[in-house]
Amino acid sequence: MDVFRALEIVDARRGEVTALALGDALGIFAAFSEENELSQAARLLLTTEFIWADGDIFLNAIAAEFQADEFRDRLGRLLESKWTTLESLLLSDNLRKSIYGAVTIETQPTNKGSQSKFGEIDLNRLLVKRLPLRSSLDRPTVAISDSYLRKALPRRKAWAISLGISNDDGTITDDGKALLEGMVSLNQCGPSTFTVWPLVHELQSALFTSMRARGFPSVTFFDLLSATTSALVKTGTSNTLGVDELAREIQHIHCDYQKLNTAKRIVRSELPLRVLERCLVKFAIRGQGLPSVRDSIEELQAAHPYGIRVRASRVAEYAFSFGGK
């Protein structure tokens, strides 16, 4: 269930299974689109979700063509690159220790291995005043265990092959090369490694705003989705949809979103941006490009006669609803 939750498919709490953003989007494709569109959408969206949830490991495994020694070296460079970036922004002993504890790969030789994401650190602690940094505080030694490699590589190789990013022998397909180039264009990389950072909406505090202003390499989910779409469908963002057409499409998707769960229709009065953006990949699949809702929010709110209301949301970034003018 942890995997399904991490990929934004479903979550289960207190005996109740709840569809998350990707689960809702795929449900809408399954119920209201052609089968071919569903399979293509699943490929695009799952690839994007793997990058968001597991990009540090997944992308470096692909780039290493699943060769253990090269993968190990890439993970070492990944840690060094992230540590260097964060050390330049967080300047106290305690914060540096937190960096090393949060940005790491499990290295115990008797442990089968797991990964830790930067997003897991409690960054509210960064607001507490700390003592100045001691130059004597050293980085930990990077040592990736063989047992971790044995567990990490086969699973991700199977993902990459099923998505058409890697061949059966682990070599990179043309789509895989285009995908890695897209991540480089988003600055989700370091010296001979890939480094995927938390998304903009995951960094909402004033402290994070300051970090972004100083060059923190964060992107939006739409940036990841657009790069994936450009690589796998060979099309990027496009303004081929007019504002009125986009407004009508949002209204249709909102209706489909409510129909998916009639028991919760009332609480589904708002369409989350994270569901909407995933549903709009159908236009890229049809060769019309991927529309950017984020760039059209003001125009959408003024779109007559649809009465689109847009509310900023800490969880969903934006939520869309409809009502009279």
Side-chain angles (χ1 to χ4, degrees), residues 184-204:
V184 171
S185 70
L186 292 179
N187 198 29
Q188 302 297 289
C189 59
S192 298
T193 192
F194 286 93
T195 55
V196 178
W197 295 92
L199 301 181
V200 171
H201 77 268
E202 297 176 291
L203 307 174
Q204 292 298 319

Side-chain angles (χ1 to χ4, degrees), residues 72 132 171 201 220 222 237 262 271-272 286 299 318:
R72 190 198 307 270
T171 56
H201 77 268
T220 67
F222 180 79
T237 57
T262 55
L271 174 65
R286 295 170 183 175
E299 292 87 347
Y318 293 100

Side-chain angles (χ1 to χ4, degrees), residues 123-164:
L123 288 166
N124 289 325
R125 292 180 297 168
L126 306 186
L127 300 173
V128 180
K129 186 175 181 180
R130 305 293 186 183
L131 297 174
L133 179 68
R134 291 199 325 268
S135 59
S136 59
L137 185 62
D138 296 325
R139 291 177 174 180
T141 301
V142 176
I144 310 301
S145 66
D146 290 339
S147 56
Y148 176 81
L149 300 181
R150 286 194 296 271
K151 180 180 179 180
L153 285 172
R155 179 185 302 172
R156 288 162 179 87
K157 184 177 180 180
W159 296 346
I161 292 172
S162 67
L163 294 169

Side-chain angles (χ1 to χ4, degrees), residues 24-258:
D24 276 322
L26 291 179
I28 289 172
F29 273 102
F32 305 106
S33 299
E34 298 294 330
E35 183 177 347
N36 182 54
E37 284 192 353
L38 171 61
S39 62
Q40 291 186 69
R43 183 189 182 216
L44 288 174
L45 296 175
L46 281 170
T47 300
T48 307
E49 299 292 349
F50 279 129
I51 294 171
W52 182 17
D54 189 62
D56 286 337
I57 312 302
F58 187 46
L59 293 177
N60 282 302
I62 294 168
E65 297 190 325
F66 304 96
Q67 299 300 309
D69 289 341
E70 173 63 18
F71 181 52
R72 190 198 307 270
D73 291 344
R74 282 184 164 275
L75 293 186
R77 291 191 290 267
L78 155 72
L79 295 178
E80 296 285 353
S81 179
K82 283 199 167 185
W83 289 345
T84 297
T85 298
L86 293 171
E87 285 168 353
S88 68
L89 299 171
L90 308 174
L91 305 177
S92 79
D93 285 350
N94 286 334
L95 297 185
R96 178 175 280 192
K97 290 178 181 177
S98 296
I99 291 168
Y100 301 148
V103 183
T104 188
I105 303 294
E106 185 63 69
T107 58
Q108 288 92 333
T110 58
N111 192 298
K112 292 184 179 181
S114 62
Q115 69 179 75
S116 177
K117 292 177 64 177
F118 168 60
E120 293 172 357
I121 185 173
D122 179 10
L123 288 166
N124 289 325
R125 292 180 297 168
L126 306 186
L127 300 173
V128 180
K129 186 175 181 180
R130 305 293 186 183
L131 297 174
L133 179 68
R134 291 199 325 268
S135 59
S136 59
L137 185 62
D138 296 325
R139 291 177 174 180
T141 301
V142 176
I144 310 301
S145 66
D146 290 339
S147 56
Y148 176 81
L149 300 181
R150 286 194 296 271
K151 180 180 179 180
L153 285 172
R155 179 185 302 172
R156 288 162 179 87
K157 184 177 180 180
W159 296 346
I161 292 172
S162 67
L163 294 169
I165 297 169
S166 297
N167 296 306
D168 290 346
D169 61 358
T171 56
I172 308 173
T173 64
D174 289 342
D175 283 353
K177 292 176 183 177
L179 181 66
L180 296 184
E181 289 170 0
M183 294 303 108
V184 171
S185 70
L186 292 179
N187 198 29
Q188 302 297 289
C189 59
S192 298
T193 192
F194 286 93
T195 55
V196 178
W197 295 92
L199 301 181
V200 171
H201 77 268
E202 297 176 291
L203 307 174
Q204 292 298 319
S205 76
L207 173 64
F208 290 141
T209 300
S210 175
M211 289 170 64
R212 290 198 304 272
R214 295 168 62 188
F216 193 84
S218 193
V219 297
T220 67
F221 180 81
F222 180 79
D223 293 328
L224 293 183
L225 183 60
S226 179
T228 302
T229 302
S230 295
L232 303 187
V233 185
K234 306 300 185 289
T235 181
T237 57
S238 172
N239 292 320
T240 56
L241 287 184
V243 173
D244 283 347
E245 188 177 359
L246 180 57
R248 286 193 296 271
E249 186 60 36
I250 293 173
Q251 190 171 33
H252 291 156
I253 293 173
H254 183 230
C255 290
D256 294 342
Y257 176 68
Q258 290 183 311

